[in-house]
Amino acid sequence: MGEHRTAEQRRVELPAGDGHPELACGVGDWDTEAYGNHRVLVRAAQAGPVLGVELPWRRRDPDPHLVDVVVLAPSGRRVRNTLAVEVTAERGRIAFEPVEGPGTYAVHYLPYAHTGRAYYPQAVYRQPVRTADPVWVHALGLDGPDAGWGRLPRAEAFRYEAASAVDSFAPLGFAATEDERHKLELADPDADLMLFGEDRAHPLGRYGRLPARWARGVPGAPYEGTADRGEFFAFQVGVYARTDLDGLTARVRGLPFPVRCPSLGGTDARGRPLTRRVDVPAGRVDALWFLAEVPADAAPGSYEGEVEVSAPGAVPRVLPVRLTVTGHAAVDGGTGEPERLARLAWLDSTEGHDDTVVPPFTPVTCAQGPDGGRELGLLGRRVHLGADGLPHRLVSTFTPAVTAVDGPPHDLLAGPVRFELGHALALGPLTSEQPGPGRVTWKVRASSDALLVDTEGELEADGFLVLRIGVEARADLDLPDVTLDVPVREPLARYVMGLGLTGRYCPDTYDWTWGTPTRNQDSLWLGSAHAGLQLSLRDEHYTRPLNTNYYREKPLVTPRSWAGDDGLGGVRLRTADGVRTVTAHSGPVRLRAGERRRFELRLLLTPFKPITPRTQLTDRYYHAYATPEEVARYGANVVNLHHATPPNPYINDPLLAADVLRAYTDRAHALGVRVKVYDTVRELTRHSPELRVLASFGDEVLAAGPGGGHAWLREHLGEAHVPGWVASDVRDVAAVTTGESRWHNFYVAGVRRLRERLGVDGLYLDDVAYDRTTMKRVRKALTRAGGPPPVVDLHSCNQFRAPDGFASSANLYAELLPYVDRLWLGELFDYAATDPAYWLVEISGIPFGLMGEMLEGGGNPWRGLVFGMTARAPMTDVRPLWRAFDALGLPGAEMTGWWAGDTAVGTGDDAVLATVWRGPERATTVALASWAEDPVDCRLTLAGAAVAASAPGIEGFQEEREYPAGGPVRVEPGRGLLLRLRPAAEGPRLTSP
């Protein structure tokens, strides 16, 4: 981190004429919350009642005259007698009283106040306020025309300073004056565009006005750079548009090694070729970024080439490029030094784009089925496809406790899935392929005189099944309704979640309609702990929405196919004759001849994998910053390093502190502590050197939005972004990213580097903004980097609220859960007023093959324990429970949760649930928790026989106590007990841990 900051410092310590045409540039130290992030230093050479100073500030803010200007004396006190004579974007003329005589005065010209929440502040720029004494103004004639500017003695502006390197406008943030732009254009009046080579240390970002540095330079002057052998060498070519340039193109010629232009495209997050359109309006500028891949065996020396840039209707322009290759060899292409911008190569990473399988999943099997269908097998589940390419049977062999996959088969469906268009169709043959062990694909065509229907499907090893049904009209055709029926056996369809329903016992009837502007809802989960499915409805226009406070900035796109042409589509649930049928219906769909609609349905087959109670009880998390020694002394063996901590200071770019993080990880490993870091892509720190490059990509990576937020975002990203998280203690500010972009490729490559080079054991994901494709790639990257099995846990605030579109967290993130190891749900979850169904479906993770922990208010330790859950240390002291687990031998015991339906332990009251651990020699431990409104006196039985029980003393949880066989075991409302059971004739009680 220190080296990176030093590079930033060098970037802004520039002499006059380099960083700014008239002023030297640097950084200073002052109270930014009082005076803003920018100032001009003024040299007062003489004393007197008034001085005038002209400030060539070259501003880009839209209304400079509406923002206050504050003058501070050399001592730091405010000069009250200050008058703004003229304020324009190009310059300011300020009259002030040099109250402390000759010396250096500071003129702060963008003062603001942050309002709103600390983590999501809004900068409000201070409006001009009259502070000058009217007597002073009048006595000096400052109330006359132009305030008598021409006769005022002068002070000299000599230095621009920013509050930090990352706040600085230098050098490209200072705009050219109208005179400078006019002179530039006169030098080549026929040019449609002008080119300027620029060093990677000075990204243009979103500064759309012509920089003074370019206007005072020579268009088309050769760009000269120095690269190491094996380096991904980044440079930019600035484009100034004299006329509207629609669809820039660029060609690189002459250099003997590959050069790509990330600004114009690359590889998207799905591994497909991506072309990006770049338009530059007349009078504006943009930057094209280039990445030269210098071979590791390149001979040191000078290499020459050129970049040609054009647009339709524009005369091309050429910029010569001279690249000197040194004798030094870049390590990892230079990606270990973020300031080189070599990491831009990761934007095209295809890491993890393959059909291999990661543990615990097994290869998908495919065999010919009856009637021309297919029999597909995967971990704990079987799929029987009919000849129409739709699932006819879904079978789970997960045990009711979800701890193994060798249970009896359970048919989830009561009949085939049906897609109905109201027309009889003739089926063609079903064909299938297996691109790799992790995936099987199939397709089939059905037709009639009026319709062509192409069904393409795929099943992956984690239980992801997708069907894309293309419906094409051969002639103009009105379909009154298109329906999809998914019939599920009622005994297995015990619980439901999604489409506006929080996790609960499944109702017999339910109706839902589309409302995507305010509701992040397109999927429904239905099932039981050991057999279920999530149904999602999409079409070809689907793009991932934003989430976690930002949903309304970029909501779901309503699928025209499923919603129908009149917007009357929806989903209904009906129960009859032991079957719960989920029906998606479109209402009228009007197709013209040759028109095609796509109906996409996704089925996630749950659970994804068996739960692992032993790991749940032995992986003991510490979720706060502490030294490795402190974590080990606490008794934890896994530490989560949040951002805004010394080893991981900046949000979602932990590699910026690589040396510090590596040292921390090494110390932790020596003590038997694994290290996980906070790293997602939902937002990105302003300290990432790539941020300004990404900003020049429009809204491909940084989400488009209303702007505003922290002052830094407004000053450097303009007003078309979505403000992200602010961590004031490390002066970090983030911008929100889009739901899917090339940044995900960068992220996956970065995750692998975290594992390989820094020894990080896994990730702490906080309300993830990417989809299952990226999550799967992340898991593969972590696994392939070597070492012990990686650990990934997912945390979420309760998303079932208006800012998040009323989406249950477990349902929202279900597609990611195959590749997650633990859940932590989370802020705003209600652990008191919710029933066991809610706990099981919304919080525990068990129906998806996961276990979790509690957060809000420390959770409810008694109810949590019947799901194998505790709160997370150190915000809650769970060490007494850890000691009890060890004393009772629970990590080595077999767990059977209450959801299995038969734990062999009875409580005598349905409102008191029991989860059992059976250890060696039939040692039985039971966790009890009550959802009753009143105290309950339970009568405990084991396999029908009354049993005695011992309650070991556990600090903060329960007192030590004995319960005789057949006697009452009182459980208070909302509380519970952890008991060791024994037959009535058994020996002495268990001593407290």
Side-chain angles (χ1 to χ4, degrees), residues 751-926:
V751 165
R752 178 151 187 169
R753 184 174 181 86
L754 279 171
R755 177 83 158 152
E756 282 184 337
R757 296 289 188 266
L758 277 63
V760 167
D761 296 285
L763 301 178
Y764 165 66
L765 304 179
D766 185 356
D767 276 315
V768 182
Y770 50 75
D771 69 355
R772 69 177 306 278
T773 298
T774 300
M775 185 73 251
K776 180 172 57 174
R777 295 175 64 196
V778 164
R779 191 76 195 195
K780 289 179 179 179
L782 288 170
T783 301
R784 291 170 181 172
V791 185
V792 177
D793 71 305
L794 171 62
H795 161 68
S796 177
C797 175
N798 191 344
Q799 303 280 294
F800 199 86
R801 57 195 191 103
D804 306 315
F806 298 103
S808 296
S809 295
N811 196 49
L812 177 67
Y813 296 127
E815 65 175 358
L816 309 182
L817 300 186
Y819 303 101
V820 170
D821 298 287
R822 185 176 296 211
L823 295 178
W824 192 25
L825 309 176
E827 297 97 338
L828 304 182
F829 280 89
D830 186 350
Y831 301 119
T834 49
D835 63 15
Y838 180 90
W839 274 77
L840 179 67
V841 177
E842 288 260 357
I843 299 174
S844 77
I846 290 166
F848 303 96
L850 292 170
M851 301 181 77
E853 289 167 316
M854 302 171 289
L855 191 154
E856 183 74 22
N860 181 308
W862 302 279
R863 289 179 174 177
L865 198 51
V866 298
F867 298 93
M869 302 168 67
T870 66
R872 187 165 283 189
M875 55 193 73
T876 299
D877 189 355
V878 292
R879 287 175 294 182
L881 280 172
W882 289 350
R883 290 191 288 267
F885 296 160
D886 293 338
L888 293 166
L890 300 192
E894 180 182 347
M895 177 183 175
T896 303
W898 64 268
W899 55 88
D902 183 14
T903 64
V905 173
T907 66
D909 193 301
D910 290 341
V912 179
L913 303 183
T915 288
V916 174
W917 286 265
R918 300 296 295 269
E921 300 179 2
R922 304 182 65 184
T924 302
T925 303
V926 61

Side-chain angles (χ1 to χ4, degrees), residues 595-657:
E595 183 180 356
R596 189 177 183 87
R597 299 279 180 90
R598 191 169 92 182
F599 295 79
E600 180 175 314
L601 57 135
R602 294 180 167 208
L603 296 175
L604 293 178
L605 310 181
T606 64
F608 301 117
K609 53 193 175 185
I611 63 174
T612 54
R614 179 184 181 88
T615 301
Q616 175 73 6
L617 297 181
T618 56
D619 281 3
R620 295 172 180 178
Y621 276 63
Y622 191 95
H623 192 95
Y625 173 69
T627 66
E629 293 77 14
E630 290 168 333
V631 174
R633 284 197 298 270
Y634 191 90
N637 53 26
V638 181
V639 61
N640 274 353
L641 294 178
H642 208 274
H643 67 88
T645 59
N648 187 22
Y650 304 128
I651 190 166
N652 294 334
D653 199 346
L655 291 169
L656 294 183

Side-chain angles (χ1 to χ4, degrees), residues 283-492:
R284 305 292 285 180
V285 295
D286 206 340
L288 296 179
W289 280 88
F290 294 87
L291 202 63
E293 302 178 39
V294 181
D297 58 356
S302 180
Y303 297 85
E304 295 188 359
E306 63 182 21
V307 174
E308 180 187 271
V309 178
S310 186
V315 177
R317 290 284 163 160
V318 171
L319 182 83
V321 175
R322 297 172 183 165
L323 192 59
T324 299
V325 176
T326 74
H328 301 291
V331 178
D332 296 331
T335 56
E337 301 172 63
E339 64 272 12
R340 289 186 187 230
L341 294 178
R343 299 191 302 176
L344 290 173
W346 294 349
L347 290 173
D348 292 328
S349 171
T350 57
E351 173 80 37
H353 275 309
D354 54 57
D355 292 308
T356 59
V357 177
V358 294
F361 302 110
T362 56
V364 182
T365 61
C366 180
Q368 189 73 28
D371 303 322
R374 296 292 187 276
E375 305 281 346
L376 309 178
L378 64 159
L379 181 70
R381 290 146 293 176
R382 297 198 299 270
V383 177
H384 300 250
L385 297 176
D388 57 3
L390 303 181
H392 285 204
R393 291 181 66 200
L394 298 175
V395 179
S396 170
T397 61
F398 280 87
T399 60
V402 200
T403 53
V405 296
D406 57 355
H410 295 275
D411 268 287
L412 184 62
L413 297 180
V417 172
R418 297 294 187 194
F419 180 75
E420 297 292 345
L421 296 165
H423 286 251
L425 300 169
L427 277 175
L430 179 86
T431 60
S432 62
E433 295 181 358
Q434 187 153 12
R439 185 165 64 107
V440 168
T441 65
W442 62 91
K443 59 184 178 181
V444 62
R445 167 168 282 190
S447 61
S448 69
D449 292 340
L451 288 167
L452 283 176
V453 180
D454 291 307
T455 299
E456 296 181 355
E458 60 183 80
L459 175 69
E460 296 192 28
D462 57 10
F464 170 77
L465 190 159
V466 62
L467 294 161
R468 302 177 183 93
I469 304 175
V471 177
E472 182 178 332
R474 287 178 154 171
D476 290 356
L477 182 66
D478 290 348
L479 300 174
D481 200 9
V482 178
T483 61
L484 171 76
D485 289 328
V486 182
V488 182
R489 296 178 186 274
E490 184 179 356
L492 290 175

